[in-house]
Amino acid sequence: MLTIYGCYRSRASRPLWLLGEIGLPFHHVPVVQAYRPAAAEAAVTTRSPEFLAINPLGQIPAMTDGDLVLTESLAICQHIARAHGGALGPQTLAEAALIDQWALFAATAVEGPALNILFADAATAEGAAQIAVEAERLSRPFARLEGHLAGRDWLLDRFTVADVMAAECLRYAQGHAPLMQAHPAIADWLARCQARPAFQAMWAARLAEPA
Ligand SMILES: N[C@@H](CCC(=O)N[C@@H](CS)C(=O)NCC(=O)O)C(=O)O
């Protein structure tokens, strides 16, 4: 059975949401980041020898599916979609290329600045200045995505793993209201993604975990 290593309060949210969309039974080992206070109560952390045997880098998520051991959340999502996801995965070579494109776009152009926005303290002058810099770094990627999503519901012609991967990277910047207000097609698409029952179930499980 496919196994996901990683608690919901981590990038494991990505494959966990996707597995919910598919409805595939899986085994879950809620490995907790060793640096978090919640690690004190966790059976397995990112520094536990049994987890380091799966991912020597000591990061979540990781996945096993039969003999295949994978790390990197977006590679894990792509594998799950291709192997088990039906129409959530690519049906043609062109779709596979487009899904790769959006995964790489999300990981390289969006995730870093978006995470910096999430972790900056908007209440301090320094934090507010950093948010302004990161929002500026996101302006071209967001303009590109806004143009693509205008008049479309999803990144491809239906909801796919590309939406899961990109929406989870963009979520980090969602709290910065000016960015969302300036990009209504992105805001509407994120709302559509997050209204899906599988996202809602993932989010409820995440909130149920210790902070
Ligand atoms: N690029 C990796 C990043 C993985 C990552 O940074 N995971 C964090 C949790 S979201 C982690 O395990 N941190 C623990 C550590 O680095 O010690 C991915 O997308 O899977």
Side-chain angles (χ1 to χ4, degrees), residues 183-201:
H183 301 94
I186 292 179
D188 288 352
W189 163 76
L190 265 182
R192 268 192 300 281
C193 288
Q194 294 173 357
R196 296 180 68 86
F199 177 91
Q200 295 281 318

Side-chain angles (χ1 to χ4, degrees), residues 3-205:
T3 299
I4 296 289
Y5 298 83
C7 57
Y8 283 85
R9 289 184 186 266
S10 76
R11 289 173 176 86
S13 62
R14 303 166 182 182
L16 290 166
W17 172 12
L18 180 62
L19 285 161
E21 294 280 354
I22 297 169
L24 184 75
F26 64 99
H27 180 54
H28 186 207
V29 183
V31 180
V32 172
Q33 299 92 327
Y35 59 76
R36 288 182 46 213
E41 308 298 324
V44 188
T45 79
T46 48
R47 295 295 173 270
S48 300
E50 63 263 47
F51 179 65
L52 292 172
I54 302 287
N55 183 6
L57 188 58
Q59 289 191 333
I60 48 176
M63 182 214 76
T64 56
D65 189 9
D67 291 339
L68 179 65
V69 181
L70 267 186
T71 61
E72 290 300 326
S73 59
L74 302 184
I76 292 169
C77 286
Q78 299 253 42
H79 165 73
I80 292 171
R82 287 186 199 120
H84 308 285
L88 289 168
Q91 306 298 299
T92 64
L93 278 176
E95 284 191 2
L98 286 169
I99 290 171
D100 285 349
Q101 169 194 281
W102 289 118
L104 289 165
F105 168 82
T108 62
V110 174
E111 186 177 47
L115 267 176
N116 290 339
I117 286 177
L118 181 71
F119 289 125
D121 181 358
T124 67
E126 191 187 341
Q130 189 186 3
I131 288 171
V133 168
E134 303 299 346
E136 177 56 30
R137 286 177 69 198
L138 285 174
S139 62
R140 283 176 62 199
F142 268 50
R144 190 264 192 268
L145 187 57
E146 180 75 9
H148 181 74
L149 284 170
R152 287 173 210 262
D153 281 350
W154 311 112
L155 291 174
L156 272 64
D157 64 0
R158 63 188 184 281
F159 179 81
T160 67
V161 62
D163 296 289
V164 170
M165 295 185 294
E168 279 296 272
C169 290
L170 264 87
R171 173 165 62 78
Y172 302 136
Q174 202 173 356
H176 187 49
L179 204 53
M180 290 297 127
Q181 284 156 7
H183 301 94
I186 292 179
D188 288 352
W189 163 76
L190 265 182
R192 268 192 300 281
C193 288
Q194 294 173 357
R196 296 180 68 86
F199 177 91
Q200 295 281 318
M202 178 278 283
W203 198 252

